[in-house]
């Protein structure tokens, strides 16, 4: 069942090559003003067909709001959104009905659903389903901003090329605003040409490349979350792993903490204007599953797109034999630039649920 949340609930429906994808968002309070132009900016950042790093499949991705928002204000009713699929080429996927793509969900979905799953474009497992997720996140982040909570992410790496990281203790509003409106979000813009060259090299080789996205939540008050299974890390990770192609999530200093001593990794406390802050933020703004009041900083790893044009070894499930697969269709040589808006949206959804 494709839903997330406890105090708010997001349900996502549709398939990549079905008539439409969409979402129903329940639990949003009435009376919240929503700027639809800002929502469209976020959807456009994720949309395909607008950059050489992405699939050439061009979709308008215009969200038709069916309920829950009237004259730009939430009514308290479930917010329902439908985004039509208008540029599909389903015949490109005919050979995948019995020959699963390596690295994709084709085989596991075939086993779980007895071969009844929609294989076209990946069906319900496709990154296409992130379009309505970005819609929902764009709604909720506007409400969070009214509470002083802002969210921004950037391309942390593509292949071996790395962007500068966030300053984990102080992130300016100007940087947040710039990143959250960028289609190729970087802190160090000089890295863009190197990253594009990395993607172009993979594309030229009929291959794909992965990368990471770093995200920050600024303005989160201290004391939100809980211990053990009620922690912020668990809530965020659960949502983030719902994004297709996510294979890893780390908070703060993450796996690098394992290389340090406590004296190096601990974040020293101090007072400033009667507010408790930390000199460093190796914890990523979370201690014991509870927000410390410092920026919540985490990184998400995306695997390379499994649909590549190179011949790959696979199996023919209908014949019970080994075979070679050559994939047709339009696919992203790198999904990371488009994934930035998705990570921000998912963070907004998870944080809103924690605060509700």
């Amino acid at each position: 069942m494709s839903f997330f949340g406890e105090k708010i609930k997001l349900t996502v429906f549709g398939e990549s090559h079905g008539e439409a994808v969409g979402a129903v968002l329940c639990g949003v309070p009435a009376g919240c003003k929503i700027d639809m132009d800002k929502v469209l900016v976020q959807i456009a950042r994720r949309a395909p067909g607008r950059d050489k790093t992405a699939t050439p499949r061009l979709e308008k991705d215009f969200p038709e709001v069916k309920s829950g928002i009237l004259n730009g204000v939430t009514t308290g009713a479930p917010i329902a959104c439908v985004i039509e699929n208008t540029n599909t080429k389903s015949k490109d996927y005919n050979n995948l009905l019995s020959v699963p793509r390596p690295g994709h969900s084709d085989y596991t979905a075939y086993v779980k659903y007895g071969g009844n799953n929609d294989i076209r474009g990946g069906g319900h497992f496709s990154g296409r389903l992130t379009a309505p997720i970005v819609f929902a996140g764009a709604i909720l982040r506007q409400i969070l901003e009214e509470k002083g909570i802002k969210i921004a992410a950037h391309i942390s790496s593509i292949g071996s090329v790395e962007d500068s990281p966030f300053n984990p203790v102080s992130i300016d509003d100007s940087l947040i605003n710039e990143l959250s409106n960028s289609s190729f979000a970087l802190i160090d813009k000089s890295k863009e040409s190197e990253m594009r060259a990395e993607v172009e090299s993979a594309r030229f080789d009929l291959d794909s490349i992965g990368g990471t996205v770093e995200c920050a939540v600024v303005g989160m008050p201290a004391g939100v979350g809980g211990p053990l299974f009620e922690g912020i890390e668990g809530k965020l990770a659960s949502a983030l792993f719902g994004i297709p192609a996510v294979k890893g999530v780390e908070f703060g200093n993450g796996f690098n903490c394992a290389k340090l001593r406590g004296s190096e990794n601990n974040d020293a406390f101090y007072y400033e204007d009667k507010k408790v802050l930390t000199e460093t933020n190796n914890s990523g703004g979370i201690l014991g599953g509870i927000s410390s009041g410092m920026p919540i900083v985490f990184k998400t790893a995306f695997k390379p797109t499994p649909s590549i044009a190179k011949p790959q070894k696979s199996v023919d499930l209908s014949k019970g034999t080994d075979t070679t697969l050559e994939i047709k269709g339009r696919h992203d040589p790198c999904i990371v630039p488009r994934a930035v808006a998705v990570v921000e949206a998912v963070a907004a959804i998870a944080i809103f649920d924690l605060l509700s």
Side-chain angles (χ1 to χ4, degrees), residues 13-219:
F13 63 87
E15 293 91 13
S16 178
H17 285 209
E19 290 187 13
V21 294
V24 178
L25 184 61
C26 298
V28 179
C32 300
K33 293 182 179 179
I34 304 299
D35 186 334
M36 286 304 298
D37 287 337
K38 290 183 178 180
V39 173
L40 293 176
V41 167
Q42 298 309 316
I43 290 177
R45 294 173 67 211
R46 189 225 68 93
R50 290 165 170 80
D51 193 283
K52 287 185 70 175
T53 61
T55 170
R57 174 181 175 179
L58 181 60
E59 293 281 4
K60 293 181 180 179
D61 277 2
F62 185 80
E64 298 179 25
V65 179
K66 302 296 186 181
S67 69
I69 299 176
L70 181 63
N71 298 324
V73 179
T74 58
T75 66
I79 298 172
C81 158
V82 173
I83 301 174
E84 290 187 354
N85 296 324
T86 60
N87 188 2
T88 59
K89 293 185 178 180
S90 300
K91 64 180 181 180
D92 290 337
Y93 296 87
N94 289 341
N95 63 331
L96 304 182
L97 292 172
S98 58
V99 182
R101 288 168 287 182
H104 209 287
S105 61
D106 298 343
Y107 171 66
T108 51
Y110 177 91
V111 174
K112 182 173 180 63
Y113 301 111
N116 295 302
N117 55 297
D118 187 347
I119 201 70
R120 302 168 302 166
H124 193 63
F125 294 86
S126 170
R128 181 81 184 128
L129 274 297
T130 61
I133 292 174
V134 170
F135 167 82
I139 294 289
L140 298 179
R141 73 187 294 176
Q142 289 188 37
I143 303 174
L144 288 173
E145 286 175 1
E146 291 295 318
K147 301 176 183 290
I149 298 171
K150 294 188 177 183
I151 298 170
H154 68 107
I155 304 167
S156 180
S157 67
I158 291 179
S160 61
V161 184
E162 297 185 353
D163 187 20
S164 299
F166 280 120
N167 177 347
V169 298
S170 179
I171 303 172
D172 293 336
D173 281 353
S174 60
L175 178 60
I176 292 173
N177 294 334
E178 181 180 345
L179 293 175
S180 60
N181 287 282
S182 174
S183 59
F184 202 97
L186 291 171
I187 294 176
D188 181 357
K189 290 181 174 56
S190 70
K191 296 294 184 179
E192 180 171 350
S193 60
E194 292 180 65
M195 288 185 175
R196 288 189 178 279
E198 193 93 345
V199 176
E200 188 66 10
S201 175
R203 189 178 70 85
F204 185 78
D205 289 340
L206 307 180
D207 216 328
S208 61
I209 189 77
T212 59
V213 172
E214 186 184 37
C215 186
V217 181
V218 180

